Amino acid sequence: MVMYSNQGGEGLMGKLRSVENVLTIIYALRETSQEELGLNELSRFTGINKGTVYKILPSLLERNLITQNPNTRKYRLGVGLIHLSQKVYSDLNIYEISRPYITDLAKDTGKTVTLGIKQKDKLFFIESINGNESANFYNKIGVGESIPFYIGAAAKACFAFEEKKILQEYIEKSHDEQKDDINRFLNEIDTIRSNNYSVSDEEVDKGVYALGAPLFNYEGVIGGIAIAGIKQTFSSEDIKKISQLIINCSKSISEKLGHKN
């Protein structure tokens, strides 16, 4: 029989509180609208004593679940969470099923193709495949990063097909400074649904143009893919061709995931 001691708060209830504190800190970094949070901010945001937060952070850093900015000394989520989530992605099959298709799409277009999955009101990117274009560009949205529902080709393509009730909840929780971007997205929803693809014209990265398409499984929309490149490399003929390629790619992946048209 296992015996639990209450000494020093390390009994069963103490351990449960410790686990809860760790999860609360991780979710605080996930839910905050700020890019990073400092020690004092984490304590205020979570309601956890600053000393307790200070003791937890080294363990999270050691396992790369969070990372610390050497300049600001503040914290954000780390790549260790991606490694933990790989099993989930494998179980969902979206990564394994999608990767051959988006790899071919990157080869066919020469541009960068990204894959994201829907997590609440954000799209979380789990893969990025570079094409063979000689011109490279800085992309803010890499693997492990997330983007809100109302901006960017992949996110807009995904959330345009979200249930209206759920989308309205996301809108109501948004900040006032996001309203212009959200209203622009709302005005695009019907067009995205009609065309089965979205357009991002320098919305995320300056000088970058992208097309996005949604991904579905047997339950509904679950993510999105995007093709991005230097804006000047997209002619009207290229856009027409690439839009059809990404639509076909999204349909093929969605069928493999169990979606019925």
Side-chain angles (χ1 to χ4, degrees):
M1 182 173 68
V2 178
M3 300 295 292
Y4 293 100
S5 170
N6 287 319
Q7 286 184 339
E10 289 299 325
L12 177 58
M13 294 306 297
K15 291 179 180 179
L16 290 176
R17 281 194 298 271
S18 296
V19 172
E20 183 67 26
N21 287 340
V22 169
L23 293 175
T24 300
I25 290 170
I26 291 174
Y27 273 90
L29 291 169
R30 166 67 176 83
E31 299 298 331
T32 180
S33 59
Q34 302 178 49
E35 289 188 1
E36 303 170 333
L37 292 176
L39 175 61
N40 291 333
E41 292 167 322
L42 276 169
S43 178
R44 289 196 301 269
F45 196 91
T46 62
I48 301 172
N49 178 275
K50 185 169 71 172
T52 300
V53 175
Y54 182 77
K55 291 178 181 178
I56 291 172
L57 293 176
S59 294
L60 297 179
L61 285 167
E62 182 181 355
R63 291 163 176 81
N64 293 317
L65 297 178
I66 64 172
T67 184
Q68 187 178 35
N69 186 323
N71 296 319
T72 65
R73 309 303 297 170
K74 293 187 176 184
Y75 303 89
R76 64 189 303 170
L77 295 178
V79 296
L81 291 170
I82 299 175
H83 298 305
L84 285 177
S85 61
Q86 286 301 322
K87 182 61 170 66
V88 178
Y89 299 147
S90 297
D91 291 343
L92 292 174
N93 286 327
I94 185 172
Y95 179 84
E96 286 83 357
I97 288 174
S98 300
R99 199 174 194 283
Y101 289 99
I102 64 175
T103 299
D104 287 343
L105 193 58
K107 289 179 181 178
D108 292 341
T109 62
K111 302 183 185 301
T112 297
V113 180
T114 52
L115 164 68
I117 58 172
K118 178 165 64 79
Q119 291 190 342
K120 295 185 178 180
D121 61 344
K122 294 183 179 180
L123 194 74
F124 185 86
F125 288 90
I126 62 174
E127 184 58 290
S128 178
I129 308 291
N130 291 327
N132 56 17
E133 282 189 348
S134 57
N136 294 319
F137 63 91
Y138 172 70
N139 187 1
K140 294 179 186 175
I141 308 302
V143 174
E145 299 290 336
S146 63
I147 195 168
F149 67 93
Y150 52 82
I151 191 170
K156 292 194 301 182
C158 169
F159 286 97
F161 291 86
E162 180 61 278
E163 295 180 23
K164 291 183 178 179
K165 179 182 178 181
I166 295 176
L167 197 57
Q168 185 59 41
E169 292 176 357
Y170 297 156
I171 294 170
E172 290 173 356
K173 291 190 298 183
S174 300
H175 300 292
D176 289 339
E177 60 266 24
Q178 300 166 339
K179 296 302 181 184
D180 287 343
D181 289 330
I182 291 173
N183 288 333
R184 182 181 62 207
F185 166 58
L186 294 177
N187 289 331
E188 295 177 19
I189 285 180
D190 289 342
T191 301
I192 295 171
R193 283 175 167 264
S194 176
N195 293 339
N196 288 313
Y197 74 90
S198 66
V199 172
S200 172
D201 189 351
E202 299 186 291
E203 291 178 7
V204 180
D205 293 299
K206 187 176 181 180
V208 175
Y209 191 91
L211 301 178
L215 296 179
F216 302 88
N217 67 2
Y218 55 91
E219 293 181 318
V221 66
I222 59 169
I225 55 176
I227 299 176
I230 301 297
K231 183 176 179 179
Q232 286 78 4
T233 66
F234 283 85
S235 66
S236 58
E237 189 62 31
D238 288 333
I239 293 173
K240 182 178 180 181
K241 176 183 177 182
I242 291 174
S243 64
Q244 192 57 56
L245 287 173
I246 198 170
I247 288 171
N248 293 341
C249 182
S250 69
K251 285 183 177 179
S252 297
I253 295 172
S254 296
E255 288 175 3
K256 288 288 187 179
L257 291 170
H259 178 63
K260 303 297 182 183
N261 292 322

